[in-house]
Amino acid sequence: MKTKQITFAGLAIALAMVVSTIIKLPSLPNGGSITLFSMLIISMIGYCYGPTTGFIASIAYGILQFVVEPYFVHPLQVLLDYPLAFGALGVSGFFSKKKNGLIYGYILGILGRLFFHEVSGLIFYTTYAGNLYDNFVAISAVLIYNASYVLTEGVITLILLALPPVRKMLENIKRLSVIH
């Protein structure tokens, strides 16, 4: 990684941390909250510099999220809910050279995050469910719970990304972040 990449990624991670801890709706009782575009800020790193830098920065962000606001009841949740779930936002890097790449990368990133939160919840909740029906109820409840904040923030962000001035600003950020 070049100095400019490290600097840009560090600033983006710091901004996303501030947004996710200060500018957010109240946290849900079992973790998770809607923030003002913190997932977009992290996705921008991959979009600007590709998947390797995107994954490194996203995983680092997930680890910082754990340090600042840890919430887990099963040891596997530490891995699934933090470095892997937030690390999924780095998938945006695979779309860095495509038209509308930020939108596609962002959508896949948040779906990846939702997937890891879902697996984490299933590990915890199905441990206590004794039969197939209760497991189905647990699966449904976990999906609804996690989707309530991940997809809500995702939809709000996609609405923001549909605004031409915002798209132009983000393209300018990407252009300025490129190493010369």
Side-chain angles (χ1 to χ4, degrees), residues 1 3-17 41-42 45 49 53 57 64:
M1 288 175 60
T3 304
K4 192 170 187 179
Q5 286 177 304
I6 293 169
T7 303
F8 180 85
L11 288 171
I13 290 169
L15 178 60
M17 286 301 297
I41 296 166
I42 296 301
I45 300 167
Y49 296 116
T53 303
L64 285 172

Side-chain angles (χ1 to χ4, degrees), residues 8-24 33 35-45 57-58 60-62 64-65 68-69 86 89 153:
F8 180 85
L11 288 171
I13 290 169
L15 178 60
M17 286 301 297
V18 168
V19 166
S20 71
T21 54
I22 296 174
I23 310 170
K24 68 178 179 179
S33 63
T35 66
L36 289 179
F37 316 113
S38 65
M39 291 189 298
L40 173 63
I41 296 166
I42 296 301
S43 294
M44 277 295 295
I45 300 167
S58 299
Y61 177 71
L64 285 172
Q65 282 290 325
V68 172
E69 290 187 84
F86 288 102
L89 298 173
E153 182 173 338

Side-chain angles (χ1 to χ4, degrees), residues 16-118:
M17 286 301 297
V18 168
V19 166
S20 71
T21 54
I22 296 174
I23 310 170
K24 68 178 179 179
L25 296 178
S27 295
L28 296 175
N30 294 319
S33 63
I34 299 168
T35 66
L36 289 179
F37 316 113
S38 65
M39 291 189 298
L40 173 63
I41 296 166
I42 296 301
S43 294
M44 277 295 295
I45 300 167
Y47 178 63
C48 289
Y49 296 116
T52 302
T53 303
F55 283 121
I56 291 169
S58 299
I59 290 168
Y61 177 71
I63 292 167
L64 285 172
Q65 282 290 325
F66 176 73
V67 169
V68 172
E69 290 187 84
Y71 184 90
F72 68 98
V73 289
H74 190 283
L76 271 177
Q77 286 179 293
V78 174
L79 178 66
L80 291 164
D81 278 341
Y82 294 96
L84 292 179
F86 288 102
L89 298 173
V91 77
S92 62
F94 290 114
F95 299 89
S96 64
K97 293 179 175 41
K98 301 208 181 314
K99 182 178 173 148
N100 297 316
L102 180 58
I103 292 172
Y104 295 126
Y106 179 76
I107 290 170
L108 281 178
I110 65 170
L111 291 176
R113 180 177 173 202
L114 182 61
F115 170 78
F116 285 113
H117 286 316
E118 182 71 9

Side-chain angles (χ1 to χ4, degrees), residues 108-157:
L108 281 178
I110 65 170
L111 291 176
R113 180 177 173 202
L114 182 61
F115 170 78
F116 285 113
H117 286 316
E118 182 71 9
V119 171
S120 173
L122 292 177
I123 288 171
F124 174 69
Y125 290 108
T126 58
T127 301
Y128 301 102
N131 58 50
L132 182 62
Y133 173 76
D134 290 337
N135 278 335
F136 180 74
V137 170
I139 291 167
S140 301
V142 169
L143 182 59
I144 291 167
Y145 182 88
N146 288 319
S148 73
Y149 66 92
V150 173
L151 295 183
T152 300
E153 182 173 338
V155 168
I156 293 168
T157 301

